[in-house]
Amino acid sequence: MSNSSLLLDDPGWVIALKGLLIFVLCVLLTLLSVWGERRIVARMQMRLGPNRVGPFGIVQALADGVKLALKEDIIPKAADRAVFILAPIISATTCFMAFAVIPLTGKVNFFGEETVMQLTDLPVGVLYVLATASIGVYGIVLAGWSSGSTYPLLGGLRSSAQVISYEIAMGLSFVGVFIYAGSMSTGDIIASQSTWWNVVVLFPSFAIYVISMVGETNRAPFDLAEAEGELVGGFHTEYSSLKFALFFLAEYVNIIAVSALATTLFLGGPSAPPGLGFTSDWLGGWFSFVWFFLKVFGFFFFFVWLRGTLPRLRYDQFMKFGWKVLIPVNVAWILVVATLRLMTQQGASQFMIAAFTGGVVLAVLIAMSVYDLTKIKAEERSRYVGEMPEPSFPVPALPSIKKADE
Amino acid sequence: MTGESALFWALAPLSVAVAIAMLFMKKAVHSAILLAWVMITLAIFYIALEAPFLGIVQIVVYTGAVMMLFLFILMLVGVDSSDSLVEKIKGLRSVAIFTVLGFVAALTSLIARTDNGQAPVGLGEANGGGNVQGIAELIFGDYVWAFEVISALLITAALGAMVLGHSEKSGVAKSSQRARSIARFRGKSIATAAGLPGSGVYARNNAVDLPALLPDGKPSDLSIAEVLHRRGDVQETKSYALEGLPKIDEEGNK
C-alpha cells in the first residue's frame, strides 16, 4: 500500500496532531543541534564546548534562546521597517514547510489510525520542497536589503546569486532520482529504493546534491552570505533579539530539512539499513523513526565536520564551481541515466547495456586524460613569470627620531 | 460551498488587491514583494484546480528564479531611493493607455465566452495517469516540436545576451597564483617572498632576513634565525641601525 493511499483516510484530528508534532520536533531538534554542533566542533578543536547548563550542557541552547529573547530589539533608523520585520518571518515559516512531505516513519499505528508519520504525500512532493526553499531565500535577501546598511546588502546580494545557482544544481540532482523512481512523490521514491538505495545506484547525483545542499543552506564552507571575516554578520548584521533568533532557528531547521530530504531521496528514508530489515516491525513500526533520524544525524554530523575542517571559499571560485562544474557534470550524468533507463525499459540485451556503460566510462577516462594533459601544458607555460620587482612603498617618517632631537 | 470555491473567494480578492497595491508602491522592492505574493496565490489556485505540477513550477521558476533575479537588480538601487515618477520619454502615457484598453477588451471578450457555473469536463481523464505524467506526455509527445523550438529560441537569446555582455580582456594571460608564488621566491632577497608590511606599520621591509630594532635603534642579531646566518641569506644588519635616538643604558634609563 503506498503512502498516499494510507494518508488519504486520515481524519482531521490526526492531521492536526501530526502537524503539531512535526513543529515541536523541529524546534526541539534545533535546540539539540545547536548544542550538538558546539560540542562536536569543540571536540574537533580540542576544546570541551558548553558543559555547564544541565547534564553535558544539553540545555545550553535553551538558556541562550531565553537570553536572546530577552535582549533589546533594535530596528535601525535607515531600515525599511515593514520589510525588516517581514524578512525573519518569511525565513522562519517557510523552513518548517518542507517537513510536510517527508515521511518520518514507515507504516505505524497512530492512536488506532493506520498511517505514516507524514503530513501529506503530494505527487510533486520533492519539487514542493524546492519551492519552499526558494521562498525561504526571500527572507535572507529581503533582510539584507531592508537593513539599510552596506554589509547586509552585500550579504543579501551574495545569497540571492548563490541560491539561484545552487538551486539549479540541486534540482538537476533530483532528476536522476525521478527518472529512476518514475515518480516525484517522496513515498514512491522510498518505495523504489527497496532493493538498492539510490546512494549506490545514483552516486553522482548524491554527491552533487550533498554539495549543493551545503550551498543552499548557507553553511561553511559556502557561508558567503554571512562571512564573518568579510561582511561582519552578513545579511543579519543589523538584527537582534527575537528577529535574530528566528533566522537562527530557520538556519538549523533548514539544515535538518535538507538532511531529511537527502535521507529520503538517497538513503531509503525510514527503511532499515541492509541486513537489518527485521527491525522494521519493532515497536509496531515506530522503530523506523530511529533509523530515519540516525541517517539525518549522520548528515548533520557531516555539516559540522565540514564547518570544523574547511576554510571558506572565495566568492568567484564558489560561483565558478557551481556553474562550470556541478551543472555540466549533472547534465551529462542525467543523459547517461536517461539512456540506461530507456534501454532497460525497452528490453535491451545485457550486452548492449554493458557496452553502453563501458563506452561511457571510456569516454570519461579519455576526457579526463586529455584535460590533464592540457592542464600540465598550461602550468608549464605559466611556470615562470619573471622575477618579482623589489617591493617598495612609502613609509612615514619615524616619529621617535624627531622626539630625540628636541 | 466547496473547499475550492471557499479558497477562491478568500484568496482572489486579496490577490487582486495586492496586484493593485503593487502599482502604487513607491519603492521598487515593495512592488517586487507584492508581485511575488500574486505569483504565489496564482500557484495556490493552480494547485486547487488539480494542476499541482504547474503550481509548484510556478513557485520554483517565477517566484524562486525570475523574481529573485528582479530583486537582485533592484537591490543594487539601495534602500532609501524611490523611483522617479517623471515621464522621461514623451508620448509614452498615451501609448500605455491605448495598450491597456486593448488588453482589457481582449480579456473581457475571453471571459465573457467562458461557460460559467458548469462542472469541469475531462479533468479526471487528463489526470488519469498522474498529473506529472500527463503533462510530460503533452510536452514531449504532442507538442515536442513547439517545445524544442522554444528552447532553441531561449538558448539563442541567452547566448546572444552573453555575447553582447562580454567584454574583451587584455591579450596578456593572467599568471596563475601558483606562478606568482614561485616568482616571489625566486627574487633577489627574501623580502620579495614575504611581501610588504601592512599599511600603517612603521617598517620598510617585512622579511625574516631583516633584523628587529632595539629601543635604541640598534639592530638585534638575536632576531634573525641561526639558519639564515649559516646560509648567508642575511643582509648587512648595520645599515638598518637608526641614528639619533637617545642612548639607553642597561637599566633602561636615558
Side-chain angles (χ1 to χ4, degrees):
Chain A
M1 208 186 205
S2 71
N3 280 6
S4 51
S5 52
L6 266 176
L7 290 165
L8 210 58
D9 60 344
D10 274 356
W13 64 269
V14 170
I15 297 175
L17 202 59
K18 272 191 206 166
L20 184 70
L21 274 180
I22 288 174
F23 177 75
V24 171
L25 189 76
C26 284
V27 175
L28 275 181
L29 277 177
T30 303
L31 290 178
L32 264 184
S33 53
V34 170
W35 168 78
E37 178 177 24
R38 290 180 64 185
R39 290 286 287 194
I40 297 168
V41 163
R43 283 283 154 193
M44 288 174 179
Q45 299 168 344
M46 319 266 254
R47 296 184 286 116
L48 285 175
N51 61 353
R52 296 287 133 176
V53 195
F56 305 108
I58 201 163
V59 211
Q60 181 67 50
L62 187 65
D64 286 349
V66 172
K67 178 189 147 207
L68 204 52
L70 295 175
K71 283 198 160 189
E72 186 189 356
D73 194 354
I74 299 164
I75 298 181
K77 223 175 189 175
D80 186 307
R81 261 188 96 85
V83 183
F84 190 80
I85 295 169
L86 182 70
I89 298 175
I90 293 178
S91 262
T93 45
T94 50
C95 64
F96 288 103
M97 284 164 69
F99 276 92
V101 293
I102 290 173
L104 307 180
T105 65
K107 198 164 77 175
V108 291
N109 190 332
F110 189 73
F111 297 111
E113 174 72 29
E114 187 106 303
T115 182
V116 182
M117 278 307 278
Q118 176 185 6
L119 214 52
T120 173
D121 193 66
L122 292 174
V124 287
V126 180
L127 291 187
Y128 162 83
V129 177
L130 206 61
T132 55
S134 67
I135 297 177
V137 187
Y138 273 82
I140 294 178
V141 174
L142 292 178
W145 175 79
S146 67
S147 295
S149 133
T150 313
Y151 286 133
L153 184 66
L154 288 173
L157 277 174
R158 279 183 175 195
S159 172
S160 64
Q162 169 177 347
V163 170
I164 290 172
S165 322
Y166 275 70
E167 217 165 56
I168 297 174
M170 199 182 209
L172 286 177
S173 67
F174 294 158
V175 174
V177 178
F178 294 158
I179 290 176
Y180 208 78
S183 169
M184 294 181 185
S185 106
T186 47
D188 293 350
I189 287 172
I190 287 174
S192 76
Q193 301 178 59
S194 52
T195 42
W196 286 101
W197 285 356
N198 279 341
V199 63
V200 184
V201 191
L202 301 166
F203 187 74
S205 290
F206 174 71
I208 291 166
Y209 176 79
V210 167
I211 295 171
S212 50
M213 81 178 182
V214 181
E216 180 89 3
T217 45
N218 282 321
R219 287 282 302 184
F222 300 154
D223 55 344
L224 299 143
E226 43 182 313
E228 307 91 53
E230 303 153 30
L231 300 180
V232 191
F235 68 92
H236 59 59
T237 306
E238 303 292 349
Y239 278 88
S240 51
S241 189
L242 266 183
K243 293 201 195 72
F244 175 72
L246 287 182
F247 279 124
F248 209 68
L249 178 79
E251 182 182 339
Y252 281 88
V253 175
N254 266 329
I255 292 172
I256 298 166
V258 291
S259 304
L261 189 64
T263 306
T264 309
L265 290 180
F266 296 102
L267 295 183
S271 57
L276 293 168
F278 57 89
T279 56
S280 60
D281 291 332
W282 287 5
L283 302 173
W286 282 99
F287 198 75
S288 52
F289 190 73
V290 175
W291 288 128
F292 184 81
F293 273 100
L294 275 181
K295 292 170 192 173
V296 170
F297 288 150
F299 278 109
F300 181 74
F301 180 78
F302 179 70
F303 267 106
V304 179
W305 194 5
L306 282 181
R307 191 193 144 185
T309 318
L310 295 177
R312 185 174 300 123
L313 260 75
R314 219 171 60 199
Y315 190 67
D316 60 323
Q317 289 173 333
F318 174 69
M319 293 302 276
K320 217 178 246 175
F321 181 64
W323 284 99
K324 294 191 175 168
V325 180
L326 288 186
I327 293 175
V329 167
N330 218 333
V331 171
W333 168 244
I334 288 169
L335 286 180
V336 174
V337 171
T339 314
L340 276 176
R341 185 73 188 160
L342 200 68
M343 284 172 104
T344 37
Q345 267 180 354
Q346 302 202 330
S349 62
Q350 291 281 337
F351 174 73
M352 284 300 286
I353 292 174
F356 175 73
T357 318
V360 168
V361 171
L362 205 66
V364 169
L365 285 179
I366 290 172
M368 276 167 77
S369 44
V370 166
Y371 173 74
D372 248 29
L373 283 175
T374 53
K375 199 176 81 176
I376 291 167
K377 270 190 192 148
E379 204 164 85
E380 267 170 6
R381 246 185 283 124
S382 65
R383 195 158 177 77
Y384 192 62
V385 293
E387 267 179 20
M388 280 296 204
E390 192 80 15
S392 70
F393 75 125
V395 178
L398 290 172
S400 55
I401 297 177
K402 255 189 201 167
K403 272 188 189 150
D405 291 339
E406 282 162 9
Chain B
M1 197 187 250
T2 60
E4 188 198 316
S5 55
L7 184 76
F8 178 80
W9 288 114
L11 276 183
L14 182 67
S15 104
V16 171
V18 166
I20 291 171
M22 183 199 94
L23 297 174
F24 294 102
M25 283 291 143
K26 286 245 166 62
K27 284 180 182 168
V29 170
H30 290 173
S31 290
I33 296 169
L34 294 182
L35 188 58
W37 171 248
V38 173
M39 286 173 172
I40 292 173
T41 43
L42 270 184
I44 295 173
F45 288 142
Y46 289 153
I47 294 170
L49 292 170
E50 294 191 36
F53 183 75
L54 194 61
I56 296 291
V57 166
Q58 160 91 9
I59 294 183
V60 174
V61 174
Y62 281 93
T63 320
V66 176
M67 266 332 279
M68 196 51 89
L69 278 179
F70 264 55
L71 262 185
F72 188 83
I73 305 302
L74 292 178
M75 276 166 67
L76 297 173
V77 178
V79 68
D80 38 56
S81 67
S82 294
D83 285 346
S84 139
L85 296 173
V86 183
E87 198 176 2
K88 282 208 182 105
I89 305 168
K90 289 276 179 260
L92 260 187
R93 197 162 291 187
S94 52
V95 174
I97 291 171
F98 183 72
T99 318
V100 165
L101 283 180
F103 186 64
V104 168
L107 269 186
T108 324
S109 87
L110 204 66
I111 292 170
R113 271 185 285 161
T114 53
D115 299 318
N116 255 332
Q118 288 192 15
V121 181
L123 194 58
E125 195 187 324
N127 275 342
N131 178 255
V132 183
Q133 284 84 348
I135 288 181
E137 220 141 79
L138 283 181
I139 291 179
F140 295 105
D142 297 3
Y143 299 104
V144 69
W145 182 240
F147 182 73
E148 291 300 329
V149 167
I150 289 173
S151 60
L153 187 70
L154 283 177
I155 291 173
T156 316
L159 282 178
M162 278 163 80
V163 169
L164 291 176
H166 181 72
S167 60
E168 283 296 325
K169 298 227 172 75
S170 60
V172 187
K174 210 177 150 194
S175 57
S176 67
Q177 202 168 6
R178 181 187 167 86
R180 271 176 284 146
S181 170
I182 293 172
R184 272 214 303 279
F185 281 89
R186 290 194 176 168
K188 285 200 183 69
S189 73
I190 302 180
T192 57
L196 295 170
S199 58
V201 174
Y202 280 114
R204 275 160 292 190
N205 295 288
N206 184 20
V208 281
D209 66 335
L210 292 175
L213 295 184
L214 295 171
D216 60 352
K218 271 191 298 188
S220 162
D221 279 339
L222 276 176
S223 65
I224 299 177
E226 186 62 19
V227 173
L228 296 177
H229 279 299
R230 297 259 170 99
R231 277 199 346 201
D233 271 342
V234 181
Q235 309 208 346
E236 184 52 56
T237 54
K238 293 243 171 56
S239 62
Y240 290 94
L242 285 180
E243 299 299 329
L245 289 176
K247 292 284 168 274
I248 299 169
D249 61 16
E250 294 291 307
E251 275 92 47
N253 304 315
K254 280 189 186 173

